[in-house]
Amino acid sequence: MHDGRITITQFIIEEQRHIENATGDFTSLLNDIVTACKVISDLVNHGALVGVLGAAGTENVQGEDQKKLDVISNDVFLRSNEWAGHLAAMASEEMEEVYPIPARYPRGKYLLTFDPLDGSSNIDVNVSVGTIFSILRCPGECKTHPSAEAFLQPGTEQVCAGYALYGPSTMLVLTTGNGVNGFTLDQNIGEFILTHPNMTIPEDTGEFAINASNMRFWEAPVKRYVDECLAGSDGPRGRDFNMRWIASMVAEVHRILTRGGIFMYPLDEKMKARGLEGKLRLMYEANPMSFIIEQAGGASSTGRERIMEIKPKDLHQRVPVILGSKHEVERVEAYHKEMDTDAAA
Ligand code: AHG
Ligand code: MN
Ligand code: MN
């Protein structure tokens, strides 16, 4: 821009310029995603003034109650991204089936997955919420017959992942596998401006985030890690820890990108009893956030394996998530390994 500030569009165009055979499709797709996030940001900002708060009275495929804004944001994402010819199909946390691009529009070479409104239990109490998205390439014949199978690629195959955070300011944080950059929405001109270049996560941390109401259901390694944090300077860690739980993964990940920390939504006995493999969704939450976290120098694991290497079995698959500052995630993984080795002995 004339004042030396860099808009997200300029940033992406300049980044893509170095990529051989780039057609501009990706840049254009990202522009449409950015527009969708601006629309959702506007709705979140206006809240009760535009009648978007409260329950929708419906359930999504995961059996969770939908908020009005879950449904509206999902629709905003579909309408913004279906027409331009860059996508073959979309998949969302809020839709049971894959959404192939309708025949009236051209189909393109990418697939888009998204959690249109993350942390939606916070919307009615005016606490930060967000949007998470991930872009994959459309394999083989997928362009003509986009199916759920086309989406079942490990997180390592992601072309791009990002989130919008609708907080005190609206931010968009993005990776294309070349580091992580954060942009803040300048409401006056309607553009995201590069404000957080090369975001990196400190390897060590003194802050952990977990929903402690599930403590009695946790597996031993998680219990051990949290117990040691809680023991503080009197315990084996020899220092005090701080705790946070916002219940918006986007906001937790953003805090970790800003000042370090570890976030855990682990596997627990309650989930196991219900036949669930975790709470958070691999395709819409865990994979995109893992890509961002790893690109910022952090780590992301189920406790037993690197999340981005999981070969998805199902579009709506859930996984345990332990992510953030590298050394802390490695510590939790080591505790899992110890327990699993002892159990096998
Ligand atoms: P969503 O609103 O998209 O369903 O996601 C909510 C997720 C995540 O953002 C958050 O970390 C977690 O669920 C909160 O779960 P609890 O309510 O169990 O704490
Ligand atoms: Mn979510
Ligand atoms: Mn959601």
Side-chain angles (χ1 to χ4, degrees), residues 60 64 70 93-94 115-120 130 281 285:
N60 68 10
E64 299 160 337
D70 283 320
E93 178 185 289
E94 301 300 337
D115 173 357
L117 197 70
D118 174 66
S120 58
R281 286 129 296 208
E285 294 167 321

Side-chain angles (χ1 to χ4, degrees), residues 115 118 130-134 158 161-164 173 175 180 201 248-254 257 263 280-296 299-300 307-308 321 323-324:
D115 173 357
D118 174 66
T131 298
I132 310 170
F133 62 88
S134 161
Q158 291 172 100
Y163 64 79
V173 172
T175 185
V180 179
I201 303 173
S248 283
M249 189 191 199
V250 167
E252 320 267 11
V253 166
H254 193 71
L257 281 172
F263 166 92
L280 299 174
R281 286 129 296 208
L282 178 61
M283 306 302 292
Y284 318 113
E285 294 167 321
N287 266 341
M289 289 313 204
S290 299
F291 192 18
I292 292 168
I293 290 282
E294 286 195 8
Q295 283 293 314
S300 182
I307 286 180
M308 292 226 289
V321 175
L323 58 75

Side-chain angles (χ1 to χ4, degrees), residues 31-323:
N31 260 328
D32 291 341
I33 294 172
V34 166
T35 304
C37 292
K38 285 189 217 172
V39 172
I40 299 170
S41 173
D42 184 56
L43 293 168
V44 169
N45 286 162
H46 285 89
L49 296 174
V50 289
V52 293
L53 303 187
T58 47
E59 265 188 9
N60 68 10
V61 53
Q62 341 260 341
E64 299 160 337
D65 291 333
Q66 288 179 306
K67 299 281 183 188
K68 272 189 210 164
L69 213 48
D70 283 320
V71 178
I72 296 169
S73 307
N74 192 66
D75 210 49
V76 168
F77 246 69
L78 293 180
R79 298 293 86 77
S80 300
N81 292 299
E82 69 183 349
W83 60 275
H86 312 305
L87 290 175
M90 294 183 245
S92 158
E93 178 185 289
E94 301 300 337
M95 301 184 299
E96 183 158 7
E97 307 288 342
V98 158
Y99 180 85
I101 297 303
R104 62 183 178 281
Y105 300 120
R107 280 194 184 151
K109 61 185 178 201
Y110 292 109
L111 300 171
L112 177 63
T113 75
F114 53 90
D115 173 357
L117 197 70
D118 174 66
S120 58
S121 72
N122 281 324
I123 188 69
D124 295 343
V125 289
N126 205 10
V127 170
S128 296
V129 290
T131 298
I132 310 170
F133 62 88
S134 161
I135 301 172
L136 293 162
R137 281 195 187 82
C138 183
E141 293 307 298
C142 134
K143 214 167 151 176
T144 39
H145 300 99
S147 63
E149 283 66 45
F151 285 84
L152 304 182
Q153 308 177 40
T156 48
E157 296 299 314
Q158 291 172 100
V159 175
C160 169
Y163 64 79
L165 170 63
Y166 314 115
S169 55
T170 290
M171 286 195 66
L172 208 137
V173 172
L174 203 64
T175 185
T176 55
N178 193 20
V180 179
N181 291 282
F183 304 81
T184 304
L185 182 61
D186 181 335
Q187 307 271 2
N188 292 330
I189 59 168
E191 289 280 0
F192 280 101
I193 305 290
L194 179 65
T195 48
H196 295 61
N198 288 320
M199 298 176 89
T200 49
I201 303 173
E203 289 185 338
D204 297 292
T205 182
E207 202 161 59
F208 66 99
I210 190 162
N211 184 340
S213 71
N214 296 320
M215 186 178 288
R216 68 188 190 284
F217 304 112
W218 293 341
E219 291 187 313
V222 172
K223 180 96 173 50
R224 174 178 170 193
Y225 178 81
V226 173
D227 280 348
E228 290 179 0
C229 291
L230 294 175
S233 54
D234 299 332
R237 303 298 304 269
R239 64 197 170 102
D240 291 334
F241 282 77
N242 192 15
M243 196 194 83
R244 288 284 183 278
W245 187 250
I246 307 172
S248 283
M249 189 191 199
V250 167
E252 320 267 11
V253 166
H254 193 71
R255 185 187 61 251
I256 289 170
L257 281 172
T258 309
R259 65 181 191 208
I262 182 167
F263 166 92
M264 291 177 279
Y265 217 120
L267 184 62
D268 67 32
E269 298 302 331
K270 194 168 63 174
M271 292 169 192
K272 283 194 217 166
R274 291 171 58 203
L276 298 174
E277 291 178 89
K279 152 107 185 184
L280 299 174
R281 286 129 296 208
L282 178 61
M283 306 302 292
Y284 318 113
E285 294 167 321
N287 266 341
M289 289 313 204
S290 299
F291 192 18
I292 292 168
I293 290 282
E294 286 195 8
Q295 283 293 314
S300 182
S301 166
T302 63
R304 296 185 165 92
E305 65 182 316
R306 183 182 169 213
I307 286 180
M308 292 226 289
E309 285 177 9
I310 297 172
K311 172 81 182 87
K313 303 179 292 239
D314 176 65
L315 204 53
H316 298 292
Q317 184 172 343
R318 296 171 187 254
V319 288
V321 175
I322 295 160
L323 58 75

